[in-house]
Amino acid sequence: MLEDQQVRAEGTLAERDDAGFRRRFGTVYALVDEGSGEVSYALKSDAENLGEYVGQHVRLSGYLVEGFPAEPGDAGCISVVRILVAYHPE
């Protein structure tokens, strides 16, 4: 069961101004890989205000949301329970 599998991830938290992303994942927040610029995970949270961390390099933990990735190669989705700023970008 996915709810039992806590995951950890790290990257830059971004706010996506993309209606397709919002429609597919139900959120505007994403964790982006700093090397490739690709979305690693869509992010949702009832526990944290993700908007406070936009543009910052973060470490987070949470649970994979069932049903994602919808297609092979698509981003997964994490329900975030804890988030910390790893460092502030220059």
Side-chain angles (χ1 to χ4, degrees):
M1 189 172 205
L2 291 175
E3 290 80 21
D4 296 335
Q5 298 178 347
Q6 190 162 2
V7 294
R8 293 171 193 238
E10 183 173 336
T12 300
L13 199 149
E15 187 170 355
R16 300 288 304 246
D17 186 22
D18 176 344
F21 183 89
R22 195 173 327 122
R23 192 168 36 254
R24 185 168 41 183
F25 294 105
T27 181
V28 296
Y29 299 109
L31 192 68
V32 176
D33 180 277
E34 291 179 347
S36 68
E38 297 289 318
V39 172
S40 301
Y41 294 98
L43 303 175
K44 300 178 177 189
S45 185
D46 293 327
E48 296 278 0
N49 180 356
L50 299 176
E52 292 180 9
Y53 298 92
V54 170
Q56 298 185 66
H57 185 93
V58 297
R59 289 188 184 115
L60 57 84
S61 58
Y63 297 92
L64 293 173
V65 176
E66 196 166 349
F68 297 99
E71 301 283 334
D74 274 1
C77 186
I78 296 177
S79 177
V80 178
V81 294
R82 187 156 185 246
I83 188 167
L84 298 168
V85 174
Y87 63 82
H88 294 280
E90 297 293 318

